[in-house]
Amino acid sequence: MRLSPGLLLLLLSGLQAVIQAEEVRAMVGSDVKLSCVYPGTDRFDLDDLFVYWQVSESNAVVTYYLPGNSSTGLEDSHYKNRAHLSLDSMQQGDFSLHLRNVTPQDEQKFNCLVFRKSLELGRILEAVVTLHVAANYSMPVVSTPSRPSAEQELTFTCVSTDGYPRPSVHWINKTDNSQLDKALHNDTVSLNQRGLYDVVSVLRVPWAPSVNVGCCIENALLHQNLTGTETFIGPEAMVTDSPVRPQQEGSAAVVSTLAILLVMVIVAVATGCLCRTRCPRRSYTGARFVQ
Ligand SMILES: *[C@@H]1O[C@H](CO)[C@@H](O)[C@H](O)[C@H]1NC(C)=O
Ligand SMILES: *[C@@H]1O[C@H](CO)[C@@H](O)[C@H](O)[C@H]1NC(C)=O
Ligand SMILES: *[C@@H]1O[C@H](CO)[C@@H](O)[C@H](O)[C@H]1NC(C)=O
Ligand SMILES: *[C@@H]1O[C@H](CO)[C@@H](O)[C@H](O)[C@H]1NC(C)=O
Ligand SMILES: *[C@@H]1O[C@H](CO)[C@@H](O)[C@H](O)[C@H]1NC(C)=O
């Protein structure tokens, strides 16, 4: 059988389907576009196209297009009404998937497969898109130890919720900004009803009159560290420590007052000198009027 050069070219391009790979990040609740675009400026006939989007691992159907717009309802219920293809864009070679209201379960690898009927269902395009899902943790809240007596351990509890992916927890000694030993804290990470992570971390440190710590929740995907801090001040430390702050704040005021006084003295001395040379007697007249 003889093939025209044009058809041969199409067949070859059909055999060597263009394969694309991409990684995308989306926030939970947002909309995302998973890209699957045929390179070049070819136009496509909708009656000639079969387009499938599926989850790589489970082969669950996300959405699809068949010529003639015939059957529907094969989509996985998880994606029903959330996944769309644009027919206008498809005619221009853009088979991208529009996914609305991203959930943590969408953290998957997706396959885009495009076939042409006219090429005996030859595959012309394949894309693999890895979707990474992220959600912002709530600001960590650290609670103070409840009235521990001296010589006991101090227990700090840190809570942060509704994040994704799984966090790393670090505790920081705010006195010297060093990281506290992992053995000092127990982290409990659990998935909540929304499919997001909640974390509770309990830190135990030896009793000290004053302990200032920070609980740092790291979201590696968002390159984000959220830190909540808490200071424990024991009763003994309170007696000696509480006047420190006002003193420090007060000392600045004292310095500026002294500076103003110094300037006034210099001005007074300078005026005094001038007066002594030019008007020796007048300086006392003012004082008498006031009295
Ligand atoms: C596909 O079918 C739906 C509903 O049956 C219709 O609204 C839509 O216009 C059709 N699209 C095409 C391209 O035939
Ligand atoms: C994440 O949450 C924290 C605390 O609620 C907030 O300060 C920060 O701006 C948020 N970041 C983003 C990217 O939403
Ligand atoms: C924090 O650092 C200070 C200074 O290095 C040290 O004295 C203190 O014991 C540390 N606190 C904890 C809880 O490790
Ligand atoms: C963490 O939990 C384990 C087991 O429940 C316990 O043995 C350990 O002492 C705990 N550590 C801290 C710092 O609470
Ligand atoms: C977050 O904190 C960890 C541990 O302290 C550090 O390794 C990481 O670089 C920090 N990330 C950012 C984005 O600041």
Side-chain angles (χ1 to χ4, degrees):
M1 182 182 135
R2 280 206 184 151
L3 292 170
S4 72
L7 185 56
L8 186 65
L9 194 72
L10 276 174
L11 269 178
L12 281 177
S13 70
L15 292 171
Q16 300 174 333
V18 183
I19 300 182
Q20 301 167 341
E22 194 198 8
E23 306 219 351
V24 180
R25 192 185 81 187
M27 299 297 283
V28 168
S30 71
D31 301 344
V32 69
K33 181 175 145 185
L34 308 185
S35 186
C36 180
V37 181
Y38 194 81
T41 53
D42 310 42
R43 285 194 63 84
F44 291 85
D45 177 0
L46 287 178
D47 281 335
D48 189 30
L49 286 173
F50 290 75
V51 181
Y52 295 93
W53 272 95
Q54 52 191 200
V55 176
S56 304
E57 209 169 283
S58 62
N59 281 338
V61 179
V62 177
T63 192
Y64 60 93
Y65 171 84
L66 305 176
N69 192 19
S70 49
S71 49
T72 51
L74 292 173
E75 297 100 340
D76 189 274
S77 59
H78 182 60
Y79 294 103
K80 208 166 173 75
N81 304 324
R82 290 204 300 133
H84 298 280
L85 298 169
S86 157
L87 297 185
D88 283 347
S89 303
M90 279 183 3
Q91 286 174 319
Q92 285 144 46
D94 182 351
F95 308 98
S96 300
L97 173 74
H98 299 266
L99 186 61
R100 287 192 297 112
N101 193 10
V102 168
T103 72
Q105 293 79 45
D106 295 335
E107 171 103 15
Q108 302 275 6
K109 249 185 200 167
F110 294 88
N111 274 12
C112 164
L113 297 170
V114 182
F115 304 90
R116 285 186 69 172
K117 192 158 70 175
S118 58
L119 298 177
E120 288 170 351
L121 280 188
R123 184 158 71 197
I124 58 158
L125 178 61
E126 175 172 2
V128 182
V129 183
T130 308
L131 178 58
H132 297 288
V133 175
N136 198 1
Y137 278 92
S138 69
M139 202 63 192
V141 174
V142 187
S143 55
T144 347
S146 52
R147 302 171 139 264
S149 53
E151 255 84 302
Q152 270 187 330
E153 293 188 307
L154 297 179
T155 306
F156 292 88
T157 305
C158 170
V159 177
S160 178
T161 58
D162 292 328
Y164 203 92
R166 188 173 258 275
S168 300
V169 182
H170 319 278
W171 282 86
I172 295 155
N173 182 346
K174 297 300 276 186
T175 311
D176 58 4
N177 271 326
S178 64
Q179 203 163 310
L180 291 168
D181 193 334
K182 293 244 177 260
L184 294 174
H185 55 96
N186 266 347
D187 311 330
T188 310
V189 179
S190 54
L191 269 179
N192 64 26
Q193 282 190 324
R194 298 177 57 202
L196 302 173
Y197 288 107
D198 293 340
V199 54
V200 178
S201 179
V202 178
L203 173 79
R204 283 179 231 279
V205 292
W207 194 91
S210 167
V211 179
N212 187 2
V213 291
C215 166
C216 172
I217 303 296
E218 180 180 8
N219 188 326
L221 190 55
L222 293 178
H223 305 291
Q224 186 183 57
N225 281 338
L226 295 175
T227 307
T229 58
E230 185 62 58
T231 307
F232 165 78
I233 298 174
E236 291 92 350
M238 263 181 194
V239 178
T240 49
D241 277 9
S242 46
V244 167
R245 210 169 245 212
Q247 257 178 17
Q248 278 173 339
E249 278 164 11
S251 62
V254 169
V255 168
S256 49
T257 315
L258 281 178
I260 292 168
L261 278 177
L262 190 65
V263 169
M264 285 171 71
V265 166
I266 290 169
V267 169
V269 168
T271 345
C273 290
L274 276 178
C275 281
R276 244 173 257 157
T277 50
R278 289 191 190 171
C279 47
R281 304 225 162 218
R282 252 190 209 172
S283 56
Y284 284 97
T285 49
R288 272 185 209 131
F289 273 118
V290 173
Q291 281 177 342

